Amino acid sequence: MEYLDNLNKEQKEAVMHIDGPCLVVAGAGSGKTKVLTTRIAHLINQGIYSSHILAITFTNKAAKEMKERVGKLVSNSYAFVGTFHSFGLRIIKENYAEMGLSKNFTIIDSDDVITIIKKIMKELGMNPKEIAPSYIRNRISFIKNEMLNENEITRYFLSDVEKKAAEVYFAYEKTLRKNNVIDFDDLLKLPVELFLKNKDILNLYQEKYQYILVDEYQDTNEVQYKLIKLLAGKYRNIFVVGDQNQAIYGFRQANYKNILNFEKDYADAKVIVLNQNYRSTTTILNVANSVIKNNIERKEVNLFSELGEGVKVKYLRSNDGLQEANIVVNEIKDLLESGYRKRDIAIFYRTNAQSRVYEEALLKNSLAYKVVGSFYFYKRKEIKDLISYLKLIANHDDDVSLERVINEPKRGIGLKTIEGINGKATRENTSMFEAITSGKELEFKKMIEELTKASLDVSLTELIDLVLDKSGMKDELTKMHTLEADIRLENLMEFRSITENYQNITGSVNLQDFLDEVSLIADVTEHREDDDEITLMTFHSAKGLEFKVVFMVGMEEGIMPHINSFDEENGIEEERRLCYVGITRAKERLYITNAKLRMLYGKDMLNPPSRFIGEIDPKYIESNVMEEKKVLPDELYNDTNEEYKSGDIVNHLTFGRGVVVAVEERFVSVAFNKRYGVKKFLKNYKGLKKGK
């Protein structure tokens, strides 16, 4: 049994456990996948038929890795190694008739689900503009994953919008059964219902799968928990691996209490703690331990390492968010000069919108990067839509931008209508905008004309707010009540930071100049795909990964921990677990950064440092708080507007000498030389001074 030779004492104990319930509390980087796969091989070598073994994990990637590792340890294994959903599908295929399905049932994807929901809403007289179909889809998913019965739905779904979601749910279920189709959530719900209803069939599966292994047990939800408990009910050979300290998916209905309650479910359970970490230095682990010990609901896992003490964690506090991004990039340059590769380095942030300033700083320094789990900021659909609106406002002849947003968000203008407008514009040798004369498209045209007129009298940030409101983009995302919609709305709000920064630095409110500036940054051709890239990702996306160097940025109250967690039960504890996950991704070096002043979503924020920083023992930290004098946005402006009149000579920091040609209540227009033309500025901008 050579496969046991490279295991530590606790890993070996877990692998060699055969019968009865067993909980393996596997700390970060402690080799849990090795334990799972080696245990499967050991069970087979102990004479247990491989077909009696069921190993379940959460992702196809994890299942593939486990299969490959088992294949290297034993030949001809018939153990089922797969995801919860792939296992559920197998049960449904083997028992479709018992579930009221015919053999040729099909599984519908999320797009099909939305289509069916829209159809039902129409039949029930519900307006998709008042209740987003995606919100109803999420509530249906919640009902199925929590396995709520009709009485429970009636008891819990009390608001008007929830009652309507429940009404759609009952009609949706009838539609699915009538059409012999199931959705993704049914892959787990239907097998559990089958086992509860038919004890003989449950007994068959209990006999078939006498040894059950579950990975990432802390991430199981109600339906997954019930499925496993039913299957393990007879032989009780259930072996679960997880770490409650890494339970970060509460927003997906994962219930971390499943792992805490394992010993209540199985009073005779053997508990093994894997606390030797094979990834990080002792200092990094001490930092992780000192943070997570502040959580009340947890299993005790004090990680230790034999990889050496390593260097102290660097804490960098900047004056503002832009300086923070530049300092991070400068640190990265130093690391690259000292021998690290770009692929060794990752930047973690709490929300996707935070990536923008780092993307721009990396682009300016020609450092290749990739954004994991999201598009590059300027490539995100909602940002491209917003920029297209701005381009169309600035230039009515921009047919490309018009085609992109004329029906975004949906306003009943179909492809045939758009093709008709295009054809008319071609025949009349004019722009599509000019060719619009009737229908819903005329309403769209009038809206753009109103926004164009408004753009002459408002600041750039105020124009963004008008576009988001008048177009319906903000309203549509707000009504969806989904995590994805919230992220997209955050990104749109972050675009306001771009306009604010542009106005702060230049004083200019010229839309075309701003678009020219944005196009230079937004040109995705500047970002080249490269095998050696710095990785940008959210803390959530980082789970399961590791890097030699990790930067945890924006570590401030209201950002990390996120402001939403302040009012949620156990919200701070989940944020602390998220912080713990971030810390334990670092192998050699960890940086923690924040700023005194930050512009996020177009607003200046003065957030105190994250409470998690204060929980770290100071002896593990090397602090560097920036004291450099920084000109704050307020210092660039006078308290009152400067008085100008037509004909005044002025000087601008960037554009040089000019002549005032128009004066309004808040703005002043100045004619410069031919290169710059006429520009409009905020009247209280200090960078514009009267001269001779």
Side-chain angles (χ1 to χ4, degrees):
M1 293 191 287
E2 292 178 8
Y3 54 81
L4 296 175
D5 294 341
N6 60 349
L7 301 175
N8 66 34
K9 181 183 167 219
E10 290 76 22
Q11 289 173 333
K12 197 175 289 185
E13 186 183 2
V15 165
M16 296 180 75
H17 174 82
I18 304 294
D19 296 317
C22 181
L23 166 64
V24 178
V25 181
S30 62
K32 70 178 179 65
T33 305
K34 181 195 281 188
V35 166
L36 282 164
T37 52
T38 310
R39 181 170 188 263
I40 293 170
H42 186 67
L43 289 172
I44 294 168
N45 285 333
Q46 292 303 300
I48 291 160
Y49 291 119
S50 61
S51 58
H52 284 330
I53 299 170
L54 170 67
I56 300 185
T57 187
F58 276 82
T59 66
N60 289 315
K61 181 183 174 187
K64 183 171 179 280
E65 184 184 350
M66 283 175 66
K67 281 179 190 172
E68 288 172 355
R69 289 206 199 181
V70 170
K72 288 175 183 176
L73 293 171
V74 291
S75 56
N76 301 321
S77 167
Y78 298 100
F80 181 95
V81 180
T83 64
F84 273 100
H85 290 95
S86 63
F87 178 63
L89 178 59
R90 172 178 285 197
I91 295 170
I92 294 170
K93 281 185 173 179
E94 292 170 353
N95 301 276
Y96 58 86
E98 294 288 334
M99 300 175 184
L101 298 166
S102 57
K103 190 174 184 179
N104 63 340
F105 72 87
T106 54
I107 306 167
I108 55 173
D109 62 22
S110 56
D111 288 341
D112 294 330
V113 170
I114 288 288
T115 301
I116 294 170
I117 288 171
K118 283 179 178 176
K119 185 169 177 283
I120 292 169
M121 288 177 71
K122 190 175 182 181
E123 290 168 357
L124 295 174
M126 294 181 191
N127 187 346
K129 289 183 178 178
E130 292 177 5
I131 308 172
S134 56
Y135 166 77
I136 291 179
R137 178 189 63 192
N138 284 358
R139 300 318 287 159
I140 289 173
S141 184
F142 174 79
I143 290 168
K144 293 191 176 192
N145 281 294
E146 291 296 308
M147 297 204 68
L148 303 182
N149 59 36
E150 192 168 338
N151 289 333
E152 288 170 326
I153 294 169
T154 305
R155 200 182 325 146
Y156 297 137
F157 282 46
L158 300 174
S159 69
D160 288 342
V161 69
E162 285 181 322
K163 285 177 181 175
K164 287 181 179 178
E167 191 180 352
V168 175
Y169 165 74
F170 293 120
Y172 171 82
E173 284 293 89
K174 287 178 185 173
T175 302
L176 260 55
R177 296 293 86 82
K178 178 184 169 187
N179 289 278
N180 193 39
V181 298
I182 61 175
D183 63 22
F184 209 62
D185 294 317
D186 286 330
L187 293 174
L188 299 177
K189 175 176 169 274
L190 292 178
V192 172
E193 288 177 342
L194 173 70
F195 291 160
L196 289 170
K197 183 178 69 176
N198 194 316
K199 300 301 179 190
D200 291 337
I201 291 177
L202 172 59
N203 185 60
L204 285 173
Y205 282 94
Q206 289 174 333
E207 286 294 330
K208 181 171 177 60
Y209 298 112
Q210 296 177 18
Y211 291 85
I212 300 167
L213 300 86
V214 186
D215 189 16
E216 303 284 13
Y217 193 67
Q218 78 279 352
D219 292 335
T220 52
N221 62 20
E222 186 64 18
V223 69
Q224 292 161 340
Y225 167 77
K226 284 183 175 176
L227 178 64
I228 294 300
K229 196 170 184 194
L230 285 165
L231 284 170
K234 185 171 186 178
Y235 286 99
R236 303 177 75 255
N237 296 324
I238 177 168
F239 182 93
V240 304
V241 180
D243 179 9
Q244 194 267 326
N245 291 335
Q246 296 185 70
I248 59 173
Y249 296 124
F251 62 93
R252 293 184 192 164
Q253 282 85 53
N255 185 359
Y256 67 88
K257 291 189 177 179
N258 289 343
I259 196 167
L260 292 175
N261 292 335
F262 188 83
E263 291 163 85
K264 291 180 184 175
D265 292 337
Y266 305 95
D268 57 336
K270 185 180 185 70
V271 179
I272 300 166
V273 178
L274 304 182
N275 57 1
Q276 181 171 355
N277 175 284
Y278 292 90
R279 175 188 299 150
S280 308
T281 64
T282 298
T283 297
I284 289 169
L285 296 184
N286 286 336
V287 168
N289 289 333
S290 62
V291 170
I292 202 63
K293 74 180 182 184
N294 292 280
N295 268 10
I296 295 166
E297 289 194 292
R298 69 187 190 94
K299 291 275 184 187
E300 191 69 35
V301 184
N302 280 307
L303 293 174
F304 73 92
S305 169
E306 294 179 356
L307 297 176
E309 187 176 340
V311 297
K312 285 187 176 183
V313 171
K314 261 195 177 183
Y315 170 41
L316 306 171
R317 183 158 170 77
S318 306
N319 285 292
D320 62 31
L322 292 175
Q323 188 188 34
E324 180 189 21
N326 288 328
I327 287 169
V328 167
V329 169
N330 287 334
E331 288 285 341
I332 288 173
K333 285 179 175 177
D334 290 342
L335 289 165
L336 295 175
E337 282 184 20
S338 70
Y340 283 98
R341 303 287 299 274
K342 289 189 281 290
R343 68 175 71 135
D344 298 329
I345 301 167
I347 300 172
F348 298 164
Y349 36 78
R350 181 62 179 82
T351 63
N352 279 292
Q354 289 172 259
S355 77
R356 181 188 63 81
V357 288
Y358 296 95
E359 290 188 55
E360 290 183 7
L362 292 167
L363 275 173
K364 285 173 186 172
N365 287 274
S366 301
L367 292 171
Y369 68 90
K370 63 181 175 183
V371 182
V372 173
S374 181
F375 289 108
Y376 304 100
F377 186 82
Y378 288 99
K379 223 177 162 185
R380 291 168 189 164
K381 179 188 178 299
E382 61 274 16
I383 299 301
K384 291 179 81 171
D385 288 346
L386 178 54
I387 291 173
S388 290
Y389 269 109
L390 296 176
K391 285 180 175 178
L392 188 59
I393 289 165
N395 174 18
H396 292 175
D397 294 337
D398 185 344
D399 288 354
V400 174
S401 292
L402 182 141
E403 285 197 56
R404 182 176 181 92
V405 297
I406 192 169
N407 197 40
E408 186 60 52
K410 299 284 186 290
R411 47 177 66 92
I413 302 172
L415 285 174
K416 283 189 177 178
T417 301
I418 295 169
E419 286 170 7
I421 297 167
N422 206 337
K424 183 182 177 185
T426 303
R427 289 191 303 274
E428 296 178 0
N429 194 26
T430 186
S431 69
M432 290 178 69
F433 191 87
E434 200 64 39
I436 294 173
T437 55
S438 63
K440 290 178 181 175
E441 56 271 30
L442 183 58
E443 292 174 28
F444 169 78
K445 180 178 180 177
K446 286 177 179 176
M447 177 188 70
I448 296 297
E449 287 173 337
E450 284 175 23
L451 288 167
T452 302
K453 186 179 177 184
S455 71
L456 303 174
D457 301 314
V458 297
S459 71
L460 291 169
T461 306
E462 289 167 339
L463 178 61
I464 299 299
D465 290 336
L466 280 173
V467 171
L468 294 178
D469 286 335
K470 299 282 186 188
S471 68
M473 290 174 75
K474 185 176 180 180
D475 192 49
E476 181 191 50
L477 293 171
T478 302
K479 285 178 177 173
M480 282 185 182
H481 302 290
T482 66
L483 181 66
E484 181 190 356
D486 289 346
I487 290 170
R488 289 173 64 192
L489 194 54
E490 281 183 354
N491 290 334
L492 289 170
M493 292 297 103
E494 176 58 13
F495 196 86
R496 300 171 82 254
S497 297
I498 303 172
T499 57
E500 278 297 303
N501 278 323
Y502 178 78
Q503 286 174 179
N504 286 341
I505 294 166
T506 67
S508 172
V509 291
N510 294 279
L511 178 56
Q512 190 56 59
D513 289 349
F514 170 70
L515 288 170
D516 290 343
E517 182 82 10
V518 164
S519 66
L520 296 175
I521 304 167
D523 181 7
V524 293
T525 58
E526 281 200 40
H527 182 275
R528 306 265 193 271
E529 288 296 322
D530 193 332
D531 288 337
D532 188 24
E533 298 170 315
I534 295 156
T535 303
L536 276 64
M537 62 171 68
T538 63
F539 281 91
H540 281 102
S541 300
K543 184 148 182 248
L545 303 175
E546 59 181 39
F547 300 90
K548 287 184 179 178
V549 183
V550 166
F551 288 84
M552 291 169 37
V553 301
M555 293 292 290
E556 298 152 26
E557 288 291 298
I559 297 177
M560 180 64 177
H562 196 278
I563 193 167
N564 291 351
S565 68
F566 294 176
D567 300 321
E568 294 171 359
E569 186 182 0
N570 300 316
I572 294 295
E573 293 222 343
E574 176 140 337
E575 292 290 293
R576 189 176 281 112
R577 292 194 292 269
L578 196 54
C579 179
Y580 176 84
V581 165
I583 294 167
T584 54
R585 301 310 95 196
K587 296 169 75 174
E588 297 174 8
R589 292 178 179 270
L590 176 65
Y591 293 77
I592 295 174
T593 75
N594 57 27
K596 297 172 188 173
L597 174 77
R598 177 180 306 282
M599 183 176 288
L600 195 60
Y601 315 132
K603 296 177 182 174
D604 285 328
M605 298 178 176
L606 287 165
N607 298 322
S610 169
R611 70 188 69 190
F612 304 143
I613 298 172
E615 293 170 356
I616 300 170
D617 190 323
K619 69 184 177 188
Y620 302 125
I621 294 183
E622 175 190 327
S623 295
N624 188 359
V625 179
M626 301 299 156
E627 295 299 341
E628 170 191 320
K629 171 65 177 166
K630 184 74 179 176
V631 179
L632 299 179
D634 290 349
E635 296 176 49
L636 293 168
Y637 294 89
N638 297 306
D639 292 335
T640 57
N641 291 339
E642 182 74 63
E643 289 302 321
Y644 295 100
K645 62 180 184 298
S646 292
D648 280 349
I649 304 295
V650 293
N651 284 293
H652 186 273
L653 287 170
T654 306
F655 307 123
R657 194 164 180 269
V659 180
V660 174
V661 293
V663 182
E664 301 164 53
E665 185 182 348
R666 296 169 58 202
F667 308 106
V668 57
S669 296
V670 180
F672 295 99
N673 61 29
K674 286 182 181 178
R675 181 181 172 194
Y676 298 118
V678 177
K679 307 283 184 189
K680 185 185 279 191
F681 303 96
L682 294 161
K683 282 172 75 175
N684 62 343
Y685 177 58
K686 282 185 180 178
L688 189 70
K689 294 186 184 294
K690 286 184 182 179
K692 291 182 180 178

